[in-house]
Structures are given as structure tokens and as C-alpha cells.
Amino acid sequence: MLRFLAVALTAALVSATPAAADYTQSVAPVSATQARFTFTPTTPAALVDVHYLNNGTNQQNFRMTNNGGVWQKTVDGLSAGTVLDYWFTYEKGGPLYDTPHFTYTQGGGSGGGGTGGFPLVLKNNTGGRWSNSQIYVMVLGQVTPGQWSYLKADGTMTHISHLDATAPNHLTKNGVNYANMAFTLAQASTISLPASMYGGRIYLSLGTPMYIPISPDDNGWGGPDLRNPNDPNGDVYFDWYEYTYVNGSVSYGGNTTQVDMFGFPMTARLQQTAIGYDQTVGITATRAQVMAQYAASVGPAFTGLANTYRIVAPRSSNSFWPGGAQANYLQSSIDQVWNQYTATQFTLTRLGVTFTGRVVNGQLQFTRNGVGPFVLAKPTTTDVVQCAGALANGGMTDVARELGAEFCAAFNRGVAQNTANWYNPAAYYTNSVQNDYAKFFHTVGIDHRAYAFAYDDVNDQSSVKVLPNANPPTSLTLTVGW
């Protein structure tokens, strides 16, 4: 039995249903026994009521709660397979209107949900600096491998289309049109994510949506290019969360990230109540605190990475690319390590695997558990901060890329000279030559976790959280700070 008291509904005359453009609505599971109704009118409403039938009987009527223009109501006492026939009554300019009836199945598809889907809960913790109507959300990913889609405020995934750049309500910046693929927290602060998502990225931006071009064949999209001074998102405050999950086959894994940049503080809470899983990652300090602490703690090579809108990662800054002012920042460390393993044997044992080798003619020739030889070329500073080039490229063997990831992590952490410290977090970032940007974000991240360079997951130092099964999370909560 549902454990809520019905509220008294107004006896005023209810008018005919207006066009659906007057509102958006959705239902998202909150837990195995709870679901949340969300209703967002385009015109501020004095009241919104939700009505529903539980498996065709026992009508319930509730006054919804207004949260910055988004009306919500959470109900419980549900079980898997419970079918709710629901509709809304809302005020607009005095008269009351009824919506059509919708259907939602707890644990099964409808209302933007679906078997294996789960709720994304979005919270505004900006201290009043940004209202819910100023926080934009854009979710992109592949529900079907190879086909990019975006999430609408009603919880449906829609294939990206370059034609949306000229559709009604499209975006325009600097004379260029873009598809409007975002919604605000005022439109939906809880929304159901699909049961399948490859390469999912949840962009959050403040004050304005993001401007994302779509390829003419609708098979791809262009993310922000932080090295391009003319990128339309250069003066947009944004950050993102990334995840992959396929119900029943691919365990949920997601993370906050500073691999490319830091825009503003954000936390991500992942829950799966059936196994007692409840983990939060991210940054809880204010943006002003992060910016001030960063400026005070990093070396001169890294201070210039901060600007009004973000702190750019070394890999995303032209200064650490060939020809840039810091293009040789790590060269002394790289030379020292390569000279060391020219004169002495290189040995690394971790995770039951042993790599052994020596630098010959500028290349590290090595074996993996006695199998080989394999080759790893000498990296540059750019290779290290990007975890690319000599450390990871399409022409390398999988084994070379495996060791390349280890070297990338060791150079960034400043421990490459001593393999005994490659898996010793206490030794990380204690050298004079290291990635100060990465060091800093590990100091401000919850539990000192951060994804501050591409292979920061080596030795489990990153903000990645992976569920131990392929069942859906109970919820993912992203909190935007400032």
C-alpha cells in the first residue's frame, strides 16, 4: 500500500488539455520501491497535482512540490512490474488543465525509464550563483554502438542530426548554428538514463548551453577544442562526467575527470542499494578555493594553465606541445631514466606480470614474463602529458601500450627513476620534476582520487568507480558546485 496521504485538490473548473508544448514530464525510478514524478510547465504554475492508478485501481492524488519551477513528487510502496496510469493537473494563467494519461512501469519501460535504466539526479550546490534555469545538461552517448544519441528532458534518447542546427529553438554563436541538445535543471532535475550507454558523457554548463557541431552524416560530433582560441565553448563554464554501462553485460563504470581541464567543482555519488554500494568522488571545495589553492601550490610551468573559465590540463595546452614554452619540461627526467636503463637493467613487477629489458639504441627492448622482445621508444614531454605518441599509438603492440601506460603514470607522478615506487602512492609527487597539475587535483579530490591524466587509473588512483556486477545503479547523483 502506498504510504502517502492524499491532498485535497482544488474544486476549480478544469479546462481542456492544451498542447504538450506547455510542459515536459517524466517519471524516473529512485529505488526498487520508489519513483519520482517530474513536471515542468513552460509558464510558471501556481499548483501542479499528479494523479495515478496503481495497476488500474486505487487512484492516488497528490499536490507536487515546486523546486525552482520544476514540480516533483516521490512515491513509494512500488514493486517491480507495478504499472502506474498517471496524469497531471496544472494551473496556467488562472484556469486548470489536465494532461493526457501516461503509463509508467516500475522496473520496465515507460515514462522515459526502461528495464535496466536508472535515475540521474542533478543537484545545484552553487550557493545561489547559478539558478536551476542557468545550469544546462547535455547527455551524449551510444545506446547502440556506433550511433550517437542525446538525451531529451523527457528521458528519451534521440539520434543526433545535423539538421537540428537549423530546427526551431536551435542555438547560434558567432554566426554559426548549432543543435540545441541541452536541457536545464529547471526543466528536469531527475531523469532516467537508458539501460545501454557506450561512451556516455554528461556535460554540465553554466549560464549558457554548449555549442556542439554534428557531422553532416550524423555519425559524429565535435567536442570542445581547448587549444583552439576560436572554439565557441572557450568562454563557457563547463565540465563533465563520463560513463559506460550495458544492463546485464557491462558493469557500470563512471568518473569525474580533469584529464583535459577543470571547469568547476562537481561530485558524483554512485549507489546500488541491493549490495550496500555508496561511493562519492569529486571535489567539494568551492571554485574560488580551488583556483586560489592551485595558483599557490603549482610551479611556474603550470600557473599559466589557469584562466577565467577553467584550469587547462597540460595535454590541452599549447605550451606543453612541440614548440611551446614547456615542451621540454620533463626532458631532464626522461633523459635520466633512459640513461639509467641504458646502463642498468629495467625490471618492473606488478599484478603478477614482470617486464624486463634495457635501452638499446635509444629504445627500451623488453620482455613480458619472458615473452618478447617488444620495443618502447623514448617519449617526449608531450608524449607523457598526453599519454600518447611513443607511449600509446595505433602502431604499437598491445604489450608495448601496456608498459607505455605504466611509464606514462610513473613520469607524471615523478617516480619513473625507481620502479619500486611505481606502485607506492606515498612516493608519488615528491620529486622536483613531475606533473604539478595532476598532483594538485589529487590533493583536492575526495580520498585524494582524481583522473588528472589519461592513465591515472594505473594503480587505482583515479576517480573511476565500477560496480561489481552488471545490474543498474540505484541512482547516480551529480552535484554542481561553485
Side-chain angles (χ1 to χ4, degrees):
M1 182 175 178
L2 299 178
R3 296 187 296 277
F4 286 100
L5 295 177
V7 298
L9 301 180
T10 178
L13 177 66
V14 176
S15 302
T17 303
D22 284 346
Y23 61 86
T24 59
Q25 64 81 27
S26 64
V27 186
V30 176
S31 69
T33 61
Q34 295 178 307
R36 180 177 292 119
F37 293 94
T38 299
F39 184 91
T40 307
T42 56
T43 300
L47 64 89
V48 179
D49 295 318
V50 61
H51 325 271
Y52 61 87
L53 298 172
N54 185 348
N55 290 328
T57 62
N58 190 24
Q59 180 172 327
Q60 303 290 307
N61 307 295
F62 297 108
R63 178 64 43 82
M64 302 181 75
T65 300
N66 186 2
N67 180 17
V70 179
W71 295 78
Q72 295 179 323
K73 181 63 180 179
T74 300
V75 298
D76 68 3
L78 308 179
S79 58
T82 296
V83 178
L84 302 181
D85 175 16
Y86 68 96
W87 66 101
F88 302 90
T89 300
Y90 65 104
E91 183 269 345
K92 180 181 178 182
L96 299 180
Y97 297 89
D98 271 346
T99 71
H101 285 225
F102 307 98
T103 301
Y104 167 79
T105 303
Q106 181 75 353
S110 61
T115 302
F118 60 95
L120 166 65
V121 181
L122 300 159
K123 293 187 176 182
N124 180 350
N125 190 36
T126 65
R129 173 61 176 83
W130 304 96
S131 68
N132 282 2
S133 63
Q134 293 177 300
I135 300 180
Y136 293 83
V137 185
M138 182 174 59
V139 182
L140 289 161
Q142 300 179 45
V143 175
T144 301
Q147 298 183 22
W148 288 98
S149 299
Y150 71 96
L151 184 70
K152 290 187 173 182
D154 63 4
T156 58
M157 293 294 294
T158 302
H159 198 286
I160 61 172
S161 172
H162 71 285
L163 298 177
D164 287 345
T166 54
N169 300 316
H170 68 267
L171 307 176
T172 301
K173 188 168 186 179
N174 300 328
V176 179
N177 295 332
Y178 300 90
N180 188 352
M181 298 183 287
F183 58 89
T184 67
L185 262 65
Q187 292 174 299
S189 58
T190 298
I191 192 165
S192 185
L193 294 176
S196 173
M197 182 74 92
Y198 298 87
R201 183 167 284 195
I202 303 173
Y203 280 107
L204 296 159
S205 59
L206 307 178
T208 176
M210 296 184 66
Y211 303 90
I212 302 296
I214 297 172
S215 62
D217 61 4
D218 298 334
N219 287 330
W221 52 278
D225 182 357
L226 300 177
R227 296 178 58 231
N228 177 7
N230 297 316
D231 188 275
N233 300 291
D235 59 355
V236 176
Y237 296 106
F238 69 89
D239 216 306
W240 69 87
Y241 177 90
E242 51 198 20
Y243 78 100
T244 290
Y245 158 71
V246 180
N247 181 42
S249 62
V250 179
S251 296
Y252 181 95
N255 58 273
T256 57
T257 176
Q258 287 85 44
V259 168
D260 292 289
M261 51 152 274
F262 162 83
F264 45 78
M266 184 168 66
T267 61
R269 181 183 184 186
L270 180 64
Q271 296 172 272
Q272 192 181 74
T273 56
I275 62 170
Y277 189 97
D278 190 343
Q279 297 285 325
T280 302
V281 295
I283 297 172
T284 57
T286 68
R287 189 176 192 271
Q289 289 171 335
V290 171
M291 301 298 276
Q293 290 172 21
Y294 178 84
S297 63
V298 301
F302 297 87
T303 55
L305 298 176
N307 60 48
T308 299
Y309 295 96
R310 60 192 51 86
I311 303 174
V312 178
R315 65 172 276 155
S316 302
S317 168
N318 288 324
S319 65
F320 281 84
W321 281 57
Q326 309 303 331
N328 294 315
Y329 173 77
L330 292 171
Q331 196 60 52
S332 62
S333 176
I334 295 169
D335 289 345
Q336 179 183 350
V337 170
W338 239 243
N339 291 337
Q340 176 180 333
Y341 295 127
T342 298
T344 61
Q345 178 175 283
F346 165 79
T347 301
L348 171 68
T349 298
R350 94 289 184 264
L351 307 176
V353 174
T354 297
F355 298 93
T356 303
R358 203 178 189 107
V359 173
V360 179
N361 296 325
Q363 293 183 322
L364 178 64
Q365 298 181 5
F366 67 95
T367 60
R368 182 185 189 276
N369 286 344
V371 177
F374 302 96
V375 174
L376 197 66
K378 184 179 181 179
T380 65
T381 293
T382 305
D383 293 338
V384 171
V385 297
Q386 291 185 11
C387 295
L391 300 178
N393 65 70
M396 295 168 60
T397 65
D398 290 343
V399 172
R401 279 193 292 271
E402 181 183 0
L403 185 57
E406 300 287 344
F407 266 101
C408 174
F411 278 123
N412 277 289
R413 293 166 177 165
V415 294
Q417 293 84 358
N418 183 359
T419 57
N421 285 330
W422 286 25
Y423 275 67
N424 176 19
Y428 295 168
Y429 305 111
T430 58
N431 205 326
S432 59
V433 181
Q434 60 204 0
N435 185 337
D436 286 2
Y437 170 93
K439 175 184 179 179
F440 171 75
F441 281 104
H442 279 279
T443 65
V444 295
I446 296 173
D447 295 330
H448 300 292
R449 288 183 172 272
Y451 218 141
F453 58 88
Y455 287 124
D456 215 350
D457 52 349
V458 169
N459 197 25
D460 191 26
Q461 299 299 297
S462 76
S463 57
V464 172
K465 291 297 180 183
V466 180
L467 289 177
N469 54 63
N471 299 325
T474 301
S475 64
L476 169 66
T477 303
L478 299 182
T479 301
V480 177
W482 188 258

